[in-house]
Amino acid sequence: MVNVVLGIVEKENKILLVKRERGDFINLWAIPGGKVEECEHLDNAIIREMREEIGVSMEFVKLLGTATEIMHDKNVTSFLYICLLNMKKELVISNPEFQTKWFTLDEIKKADNIVESDKMFIEQFYFHHDKNYLKLDCYCDVNGKYYWK
C-alpha cells in the first residue's frame, strides 16, 4: 500500500495543477503531491510535497476526502488523501522542474490532458462536496494510456 497526499490550491475559482514530467501520467496535468514518508503525518507530508514540487510554502487547512486506487498494471494500491491548502503569501513558483497552470472547473471537466482520477477528486471533493471517499481502478491499455473504471 502506497500512501499519497494531493494538495488542492484554489485562487479566484481556479485550481493549481502541475504537469507530470516523470513517473506515471507523464505530460498530463495533475494535482501536486506525492508519497507520505515513513513516520510522517499527512499535514506535514503535503506541506513538504508542495515545497518540493513547486517550491511554495503552504498551510494545511483540512482533509477533503480519501480514495483507494488500484493500478492493475503495477499491482499497487494507493490510499490517497486529498488536502485543501492555503498559500501563506502570493504564489511565486520557485521550482522550474514542474510547469504549473491554473484551471477553472469547466476547463478541468473538458480537458483530456488532466489525470482522470484527479479530475474526479477536484469535482467530487472540492467543488461538489458530495462524497468523501472514492474507489477507483486504474488500467493501462496496450498503447500505455491509462483509463479508470
Side-chain angles (χ1 to χ4, degrees), residues 67-70 80 117 120-121 134-138 148-149:
T68 50
E69 182 174 45
I70 299 173
L80 301 123
S117 58
M120 292 181 226
F121 300 151
L134 288 175
K135 180 173 125 178
L136 305 170
D137 287 285
C138 180
W148 285 259
K149 288 186 178 180

Side-chain angles (χ1 to χ4, degrees), residues 19-22 24-29 99 113-114:
K19 193 167 192 180
R20 293 285 171 214
E21 302 293 335
R22 61 180 186 259
D24 300 316
F25 317 120
I26 293 174
N27 292 321
L28 294 180
W29 293 95
Q99 294 179 50
N113 62 345
I114 296 175

Side-chain angles (χ1 to χ4, degrees), residues 64-66 124-126 128-134:
L64 294 175
T66 58
Q124 298 298 321
F125 297 146
Y126 184 73
H128 296 302
H129 310 285
D130 57 353
K131 294 182 182 178
N132 62 8
Y133 171 72
L134 288 175

Side-chain angles (χ1 to χ4, degrees), residues 36-41 44:
V36 178
E37 294 179 355
E38 190 74 28
C39 297
E40 185 177 39
H41 289 288
N44 295 330

